[in-house]
Amino acid sequence: MKAFFLSALVYFLFAKIGLFFAIPPGFASGIWPAAGIAVTMVLRFGSPAIFGTLLGSYLANSTVGIESLSDWQLTSTLPALLIAAGTCIQVSITRWLIGSLIPDFNKLHEISTIVQFIVISGPLCCLIASSIGTLTIGYFNDLSTQQMMFAWFTWWIGDSLGVAFFLPLGLLVTGKSARASRHSNIMIVIPSMLCFFLVTIGFFYSRSAQQQDNFSVFSAHAESIVKSLVIFNNDNAKTLKFVHNFFNASEHVTASEFRSFVSDALKHSPGIRALEWAPIIPHKKREELEATMRLEGRPHFEIYQWSETGLRVS
């Protein structure tokens, strides 16, 4: 039971650290330390660590973007459970392969055995969680094929790097081999952590530069849109101004005169869908207007309104 809770806690903490390496849009991380930690715990503590990894992975993924317990929903917890299941399948198969091919993994002295150990636990087995996880987020987030391929590659690389960095360190820290002295452990751990630190700095610098470039492109595009909208609105305002001046310069404007004047303006102002001729007619001139419109070719022209009950009122 101790191994179960310890594995869950350690995986959860390292998963939260891994989220700092998430690459936009945030579906996968460039480095996932929890992948190496999970293999370490399973190799050291066996089956209890597998279920602990399941719990730790579920909690880490289901709480992404969650600020309170009231925010939890099935649509967020179900994908987290599937991702956690993929992680458990990955570490279980890794444990089985290493146990079958490299029974005494605590004594890795030959280069060929070390390479075999890293390839099995890293690039090979990391195909499992990345594939299951990508299919899961692709289904629940309706990702395009291109987005899924990018997420899968990032996920696979992140898990592989996490295993490459943290599995050897985890085995050294938790190991009890008599052949590995404290001094030799330090000589391995310090360079490895220094390398990871340098990679971390490079990652954040690269991501910062990419975000700055994206922001510059976005700003330039937004500025171009704003300028286009300003020109667009100015053109429309000029058209409306012309119509305003037309009415001010005329004592009386008929429907045919209005149509003739604005027909050409509408061709050069695509933003204006229509200009309506709607003069204010006093009640005493209503019959006169109706008669004039009928003489101009609208025999059924009539002004009327609808009552509150929906009946036509003349």
Side-chain angles (χ1 to χ4, degrees), residues 225-301:
I225 293 176
V226 169
K227 289 181 178 179
S228 298
L229 288 174
V230 170
I231 295 174
F232 182 75
N233 288 333
N234 288 341
D235 290 341
N236 293 338
K238 288 180 181 179
T239 300
L240 296 178
K241 185 65 176 178
F242 291 151
V243 175
H244 176 74
N245 293 337
F246 172 65
F247 273 90
N248 286 341
S250 306
E251 293 184 1
H252 178 71
V253 178
T254 64
S256 59
E257 290 174 340
F258 178 81
R259 185 186 306 109
S260 176
F261 181 83
V262 302
S263 59
D264 186 66
L266 290 175
K267 295 178 181 178
H268 297 88
S269 300
I272 300 178
R273 304 300 298 174
L275 290 170
E276 183 180 7
W277 182 78
I280 299 176
I281 307 299
H283 180 71
K284 62 182 180 179
K285 293 186 177 182
R286 172 181 170 180
E287 294 183 359
E288 178 184 346
L289 175 67
E290 290 177 340
T292 301
M293 296 300 295
R294 290 167 185 167
L295 290 175
E296 291 182 356
R298 299 184 182 183
H300 302 292
F301 182 87

Side-chain angles (χ1 to χ4, degrees), residues 3 5-18 31-46 49-50 52-53 56 87 90-91 94 121 126 158-174 193 196:
F5 287 109
L6 179 62
S7 300
L9 176 62
V10 172
Y11 187 96
F12 178 82
L13 294 177
F14 276 89
K16 289 301 181 182
I17 294 174
I31 304 175
W32 192 249
I37 297 300
V39 177
T40 300
M41 302 301 285
V42 169
L43 290 178
R44 290 302 186 200
F45 303 116
I50 295 178
T53 298
T87 301
Q90 175 171 294
V91 295
T94 302
S121 58
C126 286
D159 276 16
S160 299
L161 290 177
V163 170
F165 278 118
F166 287 90
L167 176 56
L169 298 179
L171 292 177
L172 285 174
V173 171
T174 60
M193 293 305 297
F196 176 74

Side-chain angles (χ1 to χ4, degrees), residues 33-73:
I37 297 300
V39 177
T40 300
M41 302 301 285
V42 169
L43 290 178
R44 290 302 186 200
F45 303 116
S47 298
I50 295 178
F51 295 101
T53 298
L54 176 67
L55 177 61
S57 177
Y58 169 76
L59 292 176
N61 286 285
S62 63
T63 54
V64 173
I66 301 297
E67 297 181 357
S68 63
L69 292 176
S70 60
D71 294 332
W72 277 27
Q73 298 179 356

